[in-house]
Amino acid sequence: FHNATAGGRVEVNVGTERFRVTATPVLSGDPDYPRLWTLCDQKNAGRYSAYQTLTNRRIPIIRLSPRPTSPR
């Protein structure tokens, strides 16, 4: 989490493709947090909710936004 959001500019792999994205933390006070939490939890078979029961801290979400590609 800290490494991804420190500079915000990261690369992620999806399958064999690599994408340049901007990572932005979405914390529990953000109005969009509940919607994103539900989406992430549903897409991961309830694992987020299961993990949340093991800790007192609120688990942050990282929003990934595409960055423009540089012309080569």
Side-chain angles (χ1 to χ4, degrees), residues 18-72:
R18 177 170 274 199
F19 299 93
R20 297 172 50 176
V21 298
T22 300
T24 308
V26 179
L27 305 176
S28 59
D30 189 299
D32 208 21
Y33 183 88
R35 181 186 71 82
L36 293 174
W37 175 267
T38 300
L39 179 65
C40 291
D41 193 44
Q42 288 174 347
K43 295 288 184 181
N44 288 281
R47 286 188 288 265
Y48 279 57
S49 291
Y51 183 70
Q52 184 64 70
T53 65
L54 302 175
T55 182
N56 292 328
R57 68 179 178 86
R58 298 290 289 172
I59 299 171
I61 296 169
I62 300 175
R63 176 182 286 128
L64 302 176
S65 304
R67 288 194 334 234
T69 56
S70 302
R72 294 182 186 219

